[in-house]
Amino acid sequence: MKKNVVVLDYGSGNLRSAERALERVGAQVTVTADPEAALGADGLVVPGVGAFAACMEGLRAVDGPKIIGRRLAGGRPVLGICVGMQILFERGVEHGHDAEGCGEWPGVVEQLAAPILPHMGWNTVSVPERSVLFDGLADERFYFVHSYGVRDFPLAADSSPSPLPKPLVTWAEHGDRFVAGVENGPLSATQFHPEKSGDAGAQLLTNWLNTL
C-alpha cells in the first residue's frame, strides 16, 4: 500500500518539486488546500519559500495552523520544509518585521550571523543519536537556500527533567550554528530542501514515509 501524502497548497513555492520527490520515493501525493484531505492523509508536508510573514499569511488563509494543530493533537505526522519548518516556531523577525508563527515550538527565526548571505548550497549536518529521519545519513550533505534560521532552540537545551521527551535536533553551521532539522513525535522538519538534495534527500523522505 502506498502512503497517502498531502502537500499543503497555501500559495507558497516548491510545491511541484516536493510532489515529484515524494512520488519518486513511492508516495501517493495530492497537492491541495482541502482541509479534509489534509487531515485525513497518512502524512502532511508543509513546504515554504520566501518571507516568513508572507508564508504565515498564506497559511492562515487556508486555515493551515489549525490543520497542523489538529493533526498533531491526533498524533498524525507532519513534515515542514524550509520556511515550512520556520513557521512552526513562535516568531519570525525579518527585515524589522516581527511576525507570529504557528507556535508549535518556542524559538525565534532570525537572520543568520554569517558574513555571506544567503546560505546557498550544500552543507553537512550534525545528527543526534537515535535519529530516525537521518538514519544512515550522518555523513551526507544537504541543499540549503536561506538567510534566516533558528539559532537557539530552548526545548533542546539541557534543563530540569520533564515527562516529555526532548526533541531530537540536527544542527548545521554557516557563520554560526542553526537548526537544520527537528524530530518531535509526529512533527518533523528540515531547514534544507530534501527534494533538491539528491540521493540523501530521497533517503530522508523515504525514512519519513516509513514512519507513517
Side-chain angles (χ1 to χ4, degrees):
M1 289 284 290
K2 284 191 172 186
K3 300 293 172 63
N4 171 27
V5 175
V6 163
V7 175
L8 189 62
D9 183 1
Y10 63 97
S12 180
N14 80 317
L15 296 172
R16 299 303 167 191
S17 56
E19 177 188 22
R20 287 192 296 270
L22 286 158
E23 285 176 341
R24 280 197 296 270
V25 296
Q28 180 177 314
V29 187
T30 305
V31 178
T32 182
D34 177 62
E36 286 190 20
L39 287 168
D42 296 321
L44 177 68
V45 172
V46 183
V49 294
F52 184 103
C55 281
M56 278 305 302
E57 187 177 338
L59 198 64
R60 289 194 186 96
V62 300
D63 228 2
K66 184 177 179 181
I67 290 169
I68 293 168
R70 283 185 61 188
R71 281 191 64 91
L72 296 176
R76 309 276 286 163
V78 175
L79 175 66
I81 294 175
C82 196
V83 183
M85 177 187 101
Q86 295 178 1
I87 52 88
L88 296 169
F89 286 86
E90 281 180 325
R91 292 169 41 233
V93 180
E94 210 164 315
H95 305 300
H97 184 64
D98 193 332
E100 186 178 333
C102 292
E104 297 295 342
W105 293 315
V108 180
V109 178
E110 58 189 341
Q111 186 168 302
L112 299 178
I116 298 175
L117 291 173
H119 171 216
M120 182 182 295
W122 298 83
N123 202 349
T124 55
V125 297
S126 178
V127 178
E129 292 182 8
R130 306 185 314 281
S131 171
V132 173
L133 203 59
F134 289 87
D135 184 35
L137 297 171
D139 299 321
E140 298 292 341
R141 301 170 80 87
F142 298 91
Y143 191 78
F144 292 83
V145 184
H146 65 120
S147 296
Y148 294 79
V150 175
R151 296 160 60 205
D152 180 39
F153 195 168
L155 277 184
D158 289 330
S159 57
S160 57
S162 166
L164 298 174
K166 286 195 294 189
L168 292 179
V169 182
T170 293
W171 298 89
E173 290 192 14
H174 179 71
D176 66 353
R177 196 173 74 145
F178 65 88
V179 175
V182 185
E183 298 163 75
N184 186 200
L187 185 55
S188 302
T190 66
Q191 176 61 67
F192 56 84
H193 289 275
E195 76 280 8
K196 296 179 181 176
S197 295
D199 291 344
Q203 183 59 56
L204 183 138
L205 292 174
T206 299
N207 289 348
W208 180 70
L209 283 181
N210 289 338
T211 70
L212 306 187

